[in-house]
Amino acid sequence: FSVLKQVKRGELLPPEDQRMCFKEGVPLHTLDHEDIVGQLRRLTGEDPDMMFEMAGLNPKEQESAIRVAHFMIIAANATLAAQPIPQDKAGKDAAQAAVELVEAGPSTSGEASKRP
């Protein structure tokens, strides 16, 4: 959780137009608190309230959610960049399957999803 140490340090966030986004063209400040918390849960697989607590932030404040999201997105992008995907068909198929899993969200049935 080195990212949370960065969040906790109190580093100023960049101006709104320079902050990270979950989706291109959709600034964090335009999302409501619950949307950001849901996106954080999908991005990290962790309980966002735990992240706020570890960073010493109020879990109910919009600015807390934006702060954690900004730094978590930076960390996720850095992790992705460090794990290049082979540019062959198998690599592209694997990347597409990963995107589909993320977009579908976690399974609540307890069954593994089966690809056609």
Side-chain angles (χ1 to χ4, degrees):
F1 283 83
S2 63
V3 176
L4 293 176
K5 289 179 185 176
Q6 187 176 11
V7 171
K8 195 173 185 174
R9 277 195 300 234
E11 180 180 326
L12 293 177
L13 288 175
E16 288 178 355
D17 64 334
Q18 295 175 14
R19 292 181 189 166
M20 296 287 105
C21 302
F22 286 112
K23 184 176 179 182
E24 188 176 347
V26 182
L28 290 173
H29 70 273
T30 65
L31 301 174
D32 68 30
H33 184 79
E34 291 306 313
D35 286 338
I36 295 173
V37 168
Q39 292 283 359
L40 280 170
R41 187 179 316 277
R42 282 186 288 283
L43 178 67
T44 66
E46 301 292 336
D47 176 18
D49 285 345
M50 179 199 62
M51 289 184 255
F52 296 133
E53 182 180 329
M54 291 177 72
L57 299 173
N58 183 337
K60 303 296 181 197
E61 289 183 0
Q62 178 75 352
E63 198 56 36
S64 296
I66 290 172
R67 181 171 189 75
V68 171
H70 173 78
F71 288 107
M72 286 295 178
I73 295 167
I74 289 172
N77 287 339
T79 300
L80 183 61
Q83 299 175 0
I85 297 170
Q87 294 302 309
D88 58 12
K89 179 161 177 19
K92 290 177 183 177
D93 288 348
Q96 184 60 43
V99 167
E100 290 170 3
L101 284 172
V102 170
E103 288 176 348
S107 171
T108 57
S109 68
E111 296 179 19
S113 65
K114 296 178 182 148
R115 295 190 75 192

